[in-house]
Amino acid sequence: MALMDKHKQVKRQRLDRICEGEIYTRKQSQSIRPPILNGPMHPRPLVALLDGRDCTVEMPILKDVATVAFCDAQSTQEIHEKVLNEAVAALLYHTITLSRDDLEKFKGLRVIVRIGSGFDNVDIKAAAELGIAVCNVPASSVEETADTSLCLILNLYRRVTWMHQALREGTRASSVEQIREVAGGAARIRGETLGIIGLGRVGQAVALRAKAFGFGVIFYDPYLPDGVERSLGLQRMATLQDLLIHSDCVSLHCSLNEHNHHLINDFTIKQMRQGAFLVNTSRGGLVDEKALAQALKEGRIRGAALDVHETEPFSFSTGPLKDAPNLICTPHTSWYSEQASVEAREEAAREVRRAITGRIPDSLKNCVNKEYLMAASQWPSMEAATVHPELNGATYRFPPGLINVAAVGGLPGAVAGVESLVSGTLSHGITPVSHPPHAPSPNKAEADRDIPSDQ
């Protein structure tokens, strides 16, 4: 009896440490996960939301096929060892980065779904070589991002932000001279030329909105087929330099990859029209902020509006932009509305469900590294597992609050699975297989400009 009490006390201490948020680490394994198998996953896999804590939208979609845990982590060092060992699917936003080293920490990961469209925070080539499919949700925030982009463009032209600040600071604008001083720099929009870099979903939505305000719209996108400009009534530029030379305002709507980092730099800024505007709601790495700050101070760029930054979360108190004039910054929120947020989470959960119940990558709707997967992996068949009614996810049902795991369906018998979590492994039935050597990555350049940034 005393021995049993002592055993329970040890268990209780371990649970207390987990509930208090203690971070567990493990030695990184030298082996990598088995190749992706063709066929449905085994029942009750563990799905982890890596950088969030709210699973209420995802649970109704996944609760009958998986257990959903949340980690609320900013790096893989903060993710519990059980998740690293057992998760077969991961959901994530843009606030956590998964490099090759991070991906290798996951023992059984099969699919990653980015809740949003941009996926530059995941090494998709390394993921493919490790047998992990990477997906995104490209459509949910198209309208929100386009509306925000146009809002920032209009703000730069009409200087609403600066007029508001002037009034808040006590500036009087009763006479014509005072109005002229406060509103100095405000410009007429009709007849101005808006240059769009990257005519994907968001780029096209911005172009259609801008035309209604009287902008002439030109664009540069080397990945689009001929004729798109005719269907939308736009003018296509053959080179980036042509677009910069002819634009009064430049708006960025392309994904970030190794080919376009610091696309806007000191050299390309000098190719822009004197006094042009710059707007970026895409990815912060597209703009060299040091070069932009210098151009704003010298007046070569009349004003800039950035929703995304090289270092996030952004702060005016640090970085090269802290003293830059005529600058509007927002905290990576152009993607957000209540509706868009829910739609993105629902679609991400549906993509995970397709991965669990179908075949990877064939059943996936928005797999962004499918070509790399096909080149790097072998595809043996896998028979669907027989679900025993008594093993239908029992070991995955945890009480609320345990290592940040959301209880499935609020089942009263959830506590029964706790001891198996702490003392043993989570048995979803996927048998480990030794991973083949890394396959070489294809040398094909990424062509992702048709996928707008989310955020």
Side-chain angles (χ1 to χ4, degrees):
M1 187 70 177
L3 183 62
M4 289 182 61
D5 291 341
K6 184 178 179 180
H7 182 70
K8 289 182 178 179
Q9 185 178 3
V10 172
K11 292 281 188 179
R12 182 68 261 170
Q13 290 173 351
R14 296 179 69 182
L15 288 177
D16 289 341
R17 294 207 311 270
I18 294 172
C19 294
E20 289 168 4
E22 180 174 332
I23 298 175
Y24 290 81
T25 60
R26 64 174 178 84
K27 294 181 180 179
Q28 182 172 321
S29 173
Q30 298 302 314
S31 63
I32 46 183
R33 67 197 44 73
I36 294 179
L37 301 179
N38 232 1
M41 292 184 184
H42 288 254
R44 283 300 177 190
L46 177 62
V47 177
L49 173 59
L50 301 186
D51 54 344
R53 64 172 65 190
D54 178 14
C55 302
T56 56
V57 173
E58 295 80 5
M59 284 299 303
I61 298 172
L62 293 171
K63 66 181 181 180
D64 62 324
V65 296
T67 295
V68 181
F70 66 91
C71 304
D72 198 23
Q74 300 302 307
S75 71
T76 52
Q77 293 179 341
E78 301 175 15
I79 297 175
H80 195 276
E81 187 175 1
K82 288 297 180 182
V83 174
L84 294 175
N85 288 338
E86 303 297 336
V88 296
L91 295 159
L92 72 158
Y93 294 96
H94 63 277
T95 57
I96 188 171
T97 298
L98 298 181
S99 64
R100 175 183 288 277
D101 289 341
D102 294 313
L103 292 168
E104 288 178 347
K105 294 178 182 180
F106 292 90
K107 293 293 187 64
L109 200 59
R110 297 269 299 279
V111 62
I112 296 170
V113 181
R114 166 74 167 84
I115 306 175
S117 66
F119 47 87
D120 53 285
N121 56 328
V122 180
D123 188 336
I124 63 172
K125 293 181 181 178
E129 291 167 5
L130 294 169
I132 305 170
V134 180
C135 308
N136 70 338
V137 183
S140 61
S141 297
V142 169
E143 295 166 284
E144 285 75 9
T145 308
D147 291 343
T148 301
S149 300
L150 198 67
C151 176
L152 294 174
I153 292 169
L154 297 177
N155 212 330
L156 290 174
Y157 272 92
R158 302 305 306 151
R159 295 188 63 80
V160 175
T161 294
W162 292 280
M163 294 183 207
H164 170 74
Q165 289 176 346
L167 288 180
R168 294 281 294 185
E169 293 168 0
T171 302
R172 295 178 58 85
S174 56
S175 67
V176 174
E177 288 75 16
Q178 290 172 332
I179 292 174
R180 187 177 293 119
E181 182 177 350
V182 171
R188 177 178 290 175
I189 291 172
R190 184 164 297 280
E192 292 284 284
T193 299
L194 175 65
I196 295 176
I197 300 177
L199 199 73
R201 298 172 180 87
V202 174
Q204 291 181 29
V206 171
L208 296 176
R209 286 158 170 75
K211 289 176 69 176
F213 279 88
F215 279 105
V217 181
I218 62 178
F219 75 93
Y220 170 70
D221 193 326
Y223 299 109
L224 291 185
D226 291 339
V228 172
E229 65 276 11
R230 294 177 181 271
S231 64
L232 296 173
L234 307 177
Q235 184 177 355
R236 186 171 197 160
M237 296 289 106
T239 66
L240 176 62
Q241 182 179 15
D242 288 341
L243 179 132
L244 297 175
I245 291 172
H246 291 94
S247 298
D248 298 300
C249 179
V250 174
S251 190
L252 301 176
H253 300 287
C254 50
S255 60
L256 177 65
N257 55 52
E258 64 266 30
H259 307 295
N260 60 15
H261 182 258
H262 283 183
L263 182 70
I264 302 300
N265 52 52
D266 185 64
F267 176 75
T268 51
I269 286 174
K270 289 177 180 177
Q271 295 177 325
M272 296 172 65
R273 285 185 174 179
Q274 176 71 26
F277 293 120
L278 176 68
V279 174
N280 185 13
T281 58
S282 197
R283 279 293 181 268
L286 294 170
V287 177
D288 183 345
E289 292 184 352
K290 290 182 180 179
L292 174 60
Q294 189 63 32
L296 286 168
K297 292 174 183 177
E298 295 175 358
R300 285 185 285 138
I301 290 183
R302 188 172 13 159
L306 308 176
D307 180 62
V308 288
H309 308 87
E310 288 194 80
T311 301
E312 295 181 355
F314 174 76
S315 173
F316 270 112
S317 62
T318 59
L321 295 173
K322 61 181 179 180
D323 298 323
N326 297 316
L327 176 66
I328 300 172
C329 290
T330 52
H332 201 149
T333 52
S334 64
W335 64 275
Y336 184 79
S337 73
E338 199 66 44
Q339 299 94 321
S341 177
V342 172
E343 288 173 8
R345 293 172 63 184
E346 289 176 341
E347 181 54 33
R350 283 192 287 266
E351 189 77 308
V352 170
R353 187 182 180 92
R354 284 190 283 267
I356 293 173
T357 61
R359 297 174 180 271
I360 299 174
D362 297 337
S363 299
L364 300 176
K365 184 178 179 182
N366 293 297
C367 182
V368 298
N369 67 340
K370 186 173 182 178
E371 292 184 7
Y372 300 129
L373 276 172
M374 300 301 290
S377 302
Q378 300 298 321
W379 301 84
S381 61
M382 182 176 78
E383 297 297 327
T386 302
V387 180
H388 193 287
E390 295 180 3
L391 299 178
N392 189 18
T395 57
Y396 282 109
R397 293 171 184 162
F398 312 117
L402 178 61
I403 62 159
N404 294 344
V405 177
V408 180
L411 294 176
V415 182
V418 172
E419 291 192 3
S420 65
L421 166 69
V422 177
S423 60
T425 59
L426 298 174
S427 53
H428 49 65
I430 298 181
T431 55
V433 182
S434 59
H435 203 288
H438 287 199
S441 298
N443 292 322
K444 181 183 176 184
E446 292 182 21
D448 296 319
R449 287 188 189 266
D450 63 319
I451 301 177
S453 66
D454 75 322
Q455 299 113 64

